[in-house]
Amino acid sequence: DNTNDEKNDKNDKNDTNDSKTQIGKTILKLPTKKLDPANEQKLQAQIEWYFGDSNLSMDGHILYESKKNNGFFPLRGLMRFNAVCELTNDIDAVRSIIRSSSKLQLNETETGVQRHPSLGDPPTKEDILTRTIFAKGFHPTMSMQDLRTFWQQQVDADKADSVLSVRTVKEYFSVGIVEENKPKTVKRFMGQCLVEFDTVELAEQMSKMTFNCHHRLICCAMHASYYYSDIEWNIKRQYHPFVSQTVLAVKNVPVHSTHCDVKHWAETALFVHKQMNNPNGVAAVHKERNKCMALLRLTAESEVQACVKRLRSRPLMGSYPMVRVLDDEQAQKVWNKVAQIDYHKCESVEMVVTPKPRPSRDHHHHHNSNSNKKNAPKENEKENVKEAVEEKENEAKETKETTIVDEQSKSDKLENDEC
């Protein structure tokens, strides 16, 4: 144990303030990134979360490395975590923060950290997953802080602490081709996350709701039911009543523009003269990806012709779109795209859960029998090869014996001739 601690101490000394990176035969000194005093509490909270109730049982890397080092996670591994690297690379500053924490403990050589024994054992992974829901539908560019803030706002103000943790679910995403025509894949957040609550009752209640996040539908389900079942969300959408002469078609929109870009352009064009009592307003915007057309729905009190003039005179990302009013027949065809009522918690949702079929014992036995049948020809081939090798060896032995007998007969004949 002492030798392991000495090795870890030597490795940690290499990660100190004058940290060095060896590239080939050249050694580069990396500048020390000192910890800002304003970020000390943030770094302490982050390290405490790594060894807290919500993460320790779910983090296989920390458990595996701690098991190899007598229950302590090496500090040199902690310094490689992204959340720690963004704040500092000064290992001495990290040590001082761990010493000041009542939830963390250093080993004798101060080369490893663990959860403080006074906290007891963390909850098991099974217990955490029973209080966890799965949610999907968020925008891929949404940050972790925005996700935490969103879920804290969905519960009552006095129960904001009931949201214990939020984890993003990353999927493998193809981004191109690298050397030897091999596809390059990276893990990215595609709008799915796991949310842990303090009670099972609250988790089950939140799993039966839908939410509205920046005009995007957020569907939820319990963690176990989502990963072990097939779920379909049938949502009964509600629409505003049809209003004539309120839908505008906008053409020649930049392809790379988004729904928010078009909405911001329309709002700024209609609210140029703020000192006037302007009744004009934008009720809804519909813009699909990689499309050069968008749909606008104006409020019922808007002056349609005045709005069209203002929109035509306002550039959108350097170009002037073509704007026209749709007649009633055309507007009714696209009305469902621009007249949807926003999602709310009380949205009526019909969730259909069908458990995924699991292989039975008979199926497993049948699979083994099929595999045995597939392996039978290979075994027969091996037996045939062994028989052929044995026949060749026997033939070689017989030929050797015959040659020995022939030589003996020749030698006997020569002796008789000499006599």
Side-chain angles (χ1 to χ4, degrees):
D1 296 338
N2 294 331
T3 56
N4 291 331
D5 291 338
E6 290 176 359
K7 290 181 181 179
N8 294 334
D9 195 8
K10 291 180 181 178
N11 292 328
D12 285 334
K13 288 180 180 178
N14 294 331
D15 295 334
T16 52
N17 298 341
D18 19 328
S19 55
K20 300 178 182 179
T21 302
Q22 186 171 359
I23 303 175
K25 295 182 180 180
T26 61
I27 298 178
L28 303 177
K29 292 184 178 181
L30 299 178
T32 302
K33 185 178 180 180
K34 294 184 178 180
L35 180 62
D36 189 358
N39 293 328
E40 290 182 359
Q41 293 183 353
K42 182 178 179 181
L43 180 59
Q44 180 177 346
Q46 183 65 36
I47 299 176
E48 289 177 352
W49 186 84
Y50 288 142
F51 298 89
D53 294 343
S54 299
N55 184 72
L56 186 58
S57 300
M58 303 286 290
D59 199 323
H61 174 66
I62 293 179
L63 294 175
Y64 177 74
E65 293 295 331
S66 299
K67 188 176 181 180
K68 292 198 305 182
N69 294 275
N70 300 326
F72 289 87
F73 185 76
L75 286 184
R76 66 178 184 274
L78 185 66
M79 299 300 296
R80 298 190 185 99
F81 288 176
N82 293 332
V84 178
C85 293
E86 291 176 357
L87 299 177
T88 183
N89 61 357
D90 188 359
I91 196 170
D92 292 331
V94 175
R95 283 196 183 100
S96 63
I97 286 177
I98 295 174
R99 291 193 204 101
S100 62
S101 174
S102 61
K103 299 180 180 180
L104 303 172
Q105 185 181 27
L106 290 169
N107 57 2
E108 294 180 356
T109 57
E110 295 188 347
T111 58
V113 60
Q114 71 171 1
R115 176 189 174 94
H116 201 278
S118 62
L119 299 178
D121 295 333
T124 61
K125 184 176 181 180
E126 291 75 14
D127 182 24
I128 294 174
L129 294 181
T130 56
R131 296 180 280 105
T132 302
I133 69 170
F134 178 90
K136 70 173 186 176
F138 294 98
H139 197 276
T141 60
M142 200 167 182
S143 63
M144 178 61 73
Q145 185 60 38
D146 293 338
L147 287 172
R148 292 195 187 100
T149 304
F150 171 80
W151 286 109
Q152 290 173 357
Q153 293 174 351
Q154 304 311 313
V155 297
D156 297 335
D158 57 343
K159 296 182 179 179
D161 297 336
S162 60
V163 182
L164 300 182
S165 67
V166 179
R167 296 182 180 86
T168 57
V169 179
K170 296 184 179 180
E171 299 178 355
Y172 285 99
F173 186 78
S174 178
V175 295
I177 298 176
V178 292
E179 297 179 356
E180 299 180 359
N181 292 330
K182 294 182 179 179
K184 181 180 179 181
T185 57
V186 296
K187 294 183 71 174
R188 288 183 179 178
F189 171 63
M190 301 302 292
Q192 303 173 355
C193 67
L194 302 176
V195 188
E196 178 194 357
F197 297 94
D198 57 351
T199 60
V200 180
E201 292 76 13
L202 182 58
E204 292 178 351
Q205 179 184 355
M206 301 292 284
S207 67
K208 299 176 183 178
M209 296 181 180
T210 56
F211 303 93
N212 177 23
C213 181
H214 302 296
H215 305 284
R216 297 175 69 93
L217 173 64
I218 308 301
C219 297
C220 305
M222 292 299 294
H223 178 274
S225 62
Y226 182 82
Y227 280 96
Y228 299 103
S229 306
D230 294 327
I231 300 179
E232 295 182 1
W233 288 273
N234 299 325
I235 302 172
K236 299 177 182 179
R237 295 304 305 269
Q238 298 178 357
Y239 302 93
H240 293 281
F242 178 76
V243 180
S244 178
Q245 298 292 312
T246 56
V247 181
L248 306 180
V250 185
K251 294 184 178 181
N252 296 338
V253 177
V255 179
H256 56 277
S257 62
T258 62
H259 165 272
C260 296
D261 296 332
V262 178
K263 186 176 182 180
H264 178 71
W265 163 75
E267 290 177 347
T268 53
L270 299 182
F271 290 93
V272 174
H273 304 287
K274 293 185 179 180
Q275 67 275 12
M276 301 173 58
N277 294 327
N278 193 352
N280 300 328
V282 180
V285 177
H286 177 77
K287 167 70 169 63
E288 298 180 1
R289 294 183 61 183
N290 300 328
K291 298 292 183 180
C292 298
M293 182 177 176
L295 297 174
L296 294 179
R297 182 172 66 86
L298 303 177
T299 57
E301 301 83 11
S302 300
E303 298 176 359
V304 180
Q305 297 301 328
C307 293
V308 172
K309 289 182 180 180
R310 290 185 180 180
L311 291 173
R312 288 175 178 174
S313 61
R314 186 82 177 183
L316 173 60
M317 294 185 174
S319 62
Y320 290 86
M322 298 174 58
V323 183
R324 69 182 183 91
V325 183
L326 297 180
D327 55 24
D328 292 347
E329 183 180 356
Q330 295 175 340
Q332 287 178 355
K333 294 180 180 179
V334 297
W335 183 254
N336 291 343
K337 295 182 180 180
V338 293
Q340 294 178 352
I341 299 177
D342 288 339
Y343 298 100
H344 299 284
K345 292 184 183 179
C346 58
E347 190 77 31
S348 56
V349 180
E350 182 183 354
M351 186 183 299
V352 181
V353 180
T354 56
K356 294 181 180 178
R358 297 185 180 182
S360 59
R361 293 183 178 180
D362 296 337
H363 176 74
H364 183 69
H365 177 72
H366 180 67
H367 177 72
N368 290 336
S369 62
N370 291 335
S371 61
N372 293 332
K373 290 180 181 179
K374 292 180 181 179
N375 295 331
K378 294 182 180 179
E379 294 177 356
N380 294 333
E381 290 179 0
K382 291 181 180 179
E383 292 177 357
N384 295 333
V385 171
K386 289 182 180 180
E387 291 178 357
V389 171
E390 291 177 356
E391 289 179 358
K392 289 183 179 180
E393 290 178 354
N394 293 330
E395 290 178 357
K397 288 180 181 180
E398 291 178 357
T399 52
K400 286 182 181 180
E401 291 176 356
T402 53
T403 52
I404 291 171
V405 171
D406 294 339
E407 289 177 355
Q408 287 180 355
S409 60
K410 288 180 181 180
S411 60
D412 294 338
K413 287 182 180 179
L414 290 171
E415 290 178 357
N416 293 328
D417 293 338
E418 288 178 356
C419 295

